[in-house]
Every structure is written in structure tokens, then in C-alpha cells.
Amino acid sequence: QVQLVESGGGLVQAGGSLRLSCAASGRTFSNYHMAWFRQAPGKEREFVAADSRNGGGTKYYADAVKARFTISRDNAKNTVYLQMNSLKPEDTADYYCAATDSGSYLYSPKSGGSYSYWGQGTQVTVSS
């Protein structure tokens, strides 16, 4: 059983920055594919960023956040981060951390269905 706990959300002005953290339990953290998804009220969940174990470590970003958001991990701390810069009001959403073991044979980094473990989410509100 893997548990994920997000933190770092809050209220920020447009153009500002926020750093989300996802603390994971488990002894195989370094082998997890990790990702961030978000869901705004009334909208479908959407992919934000992923840090996969493909090719020794491959990162993916949604076009909407590319060049503004950065996903990273600290295996020693069992933590994944999402650094969000130049925030826009449309970034307002609940942000969820997701993980799955890299031993999975079928894995699509941008698909929520690929992830087995999910955090409870952290709210990010960007004011104009």
C-alpha cells in the first residue's frame, strides 16, 4: 500500500509561484512513475506533468503548463515536487499526485488510468 499526501497549495496572485509537494510512503519510491493531475470545478481531470522511469527518467508536460511548471523528485525524501511559476487564473484547480510502480508493462504517462495510487489533493487558487 502506497499513500500519497500533497501539500503546498494555496492562494496566489497571477504571475506568482507555488511549489507543491507529494510525500509518498513505501520502500520502492525510486521505482515509481509519478505524475500530477488537476481538476477544476465542473471540468474533467487533466494531466499536468509526469516523471516516469522510462529511459532512466523521462518527464512529460501538458502543453498548457510547459515552460512554466517543473516536476522533480527527491528519492531520499520520498517526495515529488511540482514547481509552478507564472501562474495563471486558469491554473486554479485541485492538484493530485499520482503514482504507479514502474514494473507495469503497460504505462501511458499522461493517462490517469495508468496510476494506481492517488493523493487526496491540494487546492491551488490563482487570483487575477
Side-chain angles (χ1 to χ4, degrees):
Q1 179 69 33
V2 175
Q3 293 186 318
L4 306 174
V5 180
E6 303 97 332
S7 62
L11 175 65
V12 65
Q13 284 269 60
S17 298
L18 213 54
R19 190 194 196 196
L20 305 183
S21 297
C22 173
S25 65
R27 51 186 171 85
T28 59
F29 179 80
S30 63
N31 296 324
Y32 296 163
H33 298 303
M34 304 296 300
W36 289 93
F37 290 79
R38 68 186 182 186
Q39 186 169 25
K43 296 185 178 180
E44 296 182 354
R45 180 182 62 190
E46 66 175 344
F47 168 78
V48 176
D51 181 355
S52 78
R53 298 293 83 197
N54 295 341
T58 304
K59 297 179 180 180
Y60 305 84
Y61 296 95
D63 289 342
V65 306
K66 194 170 296 182
R68 298 190 298 119
F69 291 11
T70 302
I71 187 171
S72 62
R73 70 168 72 201
D74 186 336
N75 289 328
K77 296 181 179 180
N78 278 12
T79 301
V80 167
Y81 305 96
L82 184 68
Q83 179 66 47
M84 306 184 295
N85 298 325
S86 301
L87 283 162
K88 304 175 180 179
E90 51 262 44
D91 294 319
T92 296
D94 291 334
Y95 283 72
Y96 297 90
C97 179
T100 197
D101 195 281
S102 61
S104 299
Y105 294 104
L106 297 176
Y107 170 68
S108 296
K110 301 179 180 180
S111 175
S114 289
Y115 298 90
S116 300
Y117 308 102
W118 294 82
Q120 294 296 309
T122 185
Q123 292 185 352
V124 172
T125 302
V126 184
S127 62
S128 60

